[in-house]
Amino acid sequence: MMLRAHHIRITTFIQATEDEDKVLEAIGTFIPEEIDDDDVIFDVEETKGFFGNPIKVVNVEIKRSRAVRAFLRHFKELLSEGDKRYILENLDEKVDEEGTLYIRFNKQKAYLGEAEVDEGADVIQVRIKVKAFPMRKEAVVKAVREWLDE
């Protein structure tokens, strides 16, 4: 059972104290090598944090269906059994009414090439806009459950 999705968005913040290249490398953990660079839309925006400190917001988008499929295959392989279980147990909170699955990962671990689900502040957020019919939250939850459960 392959999950179907419209697009993938990956977002994280780069604090002034962080090395931008390292953060981009951490995001790279989630992007399979077989995806063409043209299929990955990178956007880095400079903004200010809560205390007026400079922060960069990194947004990555994958839209082309072949690239989305490659991402989903790779993403599922990255997840440990424990993380899959955690996501399944908390699926209701991880899917919104628009049918987007939200999962946050530990940024430090991602530097090391590991994907570890993390609800902390310093995270990389992956949003998967799931295709389901009918387009209702329950249908998306069911599709994600079948995909991660097999």
Side-chain angles (χ1 to χ4, degrees):
M1 202 337 253
M2 183 66 184
L3 189 68
R4 293 171 61 231
H6 295 282
H7 59 245
I8 311 295
R9 292 204 173 103
I10 305 170
T11 309
T12 195
F13 297 97
I14 306 174
Q15 309 294 339
T17 54
E18 286 182 299
D19 176 342
E20 183 169 335
D21 288 341
K22 267 188 136 173
V23 175
L24 297 178
E25 210 176 294
I27 287 177
T29 293
F30 297 94
I31 300 172
E33 283 175 17
E34 73 260 31
I35 293 186
D36 293 334
D37 290 349
D38 306 349
D39 289 344
V40 182
I41 304 155
F42 254 97
D43 178 51
V44 181
E45 249 175 64
E46 303 207 9
T47 181
K48 291 215 182 308
F50 190 67
F51 298 105
N53 45 323
I55 284 183
K56 289 179 180 169
V57 184
V58 185
N59 280 301
V60 178
E61 193 165 20
I62 300 169
K63 285 183 179 168
R64 193 163 300 161
S65 54
R66 194 180 55 222
V68 167
R69 284 197 299 274
F71 173 89
L72 290 170
R73 270 195 305 275
H74 175 71
F75 183 78
K76 189 174 171 182
E77 282 167 17
L78 281 174
L79 293 173
S80 68
E81 286 309 312
D83 278 347
K84 276 186 203 163
R85 240 189 341 269
Y86 174 79
I87 294 164
L88 287 166
E89 283 164 11
N90 296 280
L91 210 44
D92 258 358
E93 297 152 36
K94 305 255 169 236
V95 175
D96 69 10
E97 295 301 326
E98 310 292 302
T100 302
L101 171 66
Y102 291 83
I103 306 173
R104 295 186 192 93
F105 292 92
N106 183 300
K107 197 200 288 176
Q108 306 303 321
K109 283 274 164 62
Y111 289 141
L112 308 172
E114 295 170 35
E116 185 181 286
V117 173
D118 187 347
E119 304 296 357
D122 193 26
V123 292
I124 294 173
Q125 185 184 57
V126 175
R127 289 175 293 177
I128 301 171
K129 177 78 167 102
V130 178
K131 280 184 188 172
F133 188 81
M135 191 48 249
R136 284 205 310 268
K137 180 176 173 173
E138 303 81 72
V140 170
V141 166
K142 181 173 181 280
V144 174
R145 187 175 302 287
E146 286 172 0
W147 176 57
L148 287 181
D149 241 349
E150 60 178 358

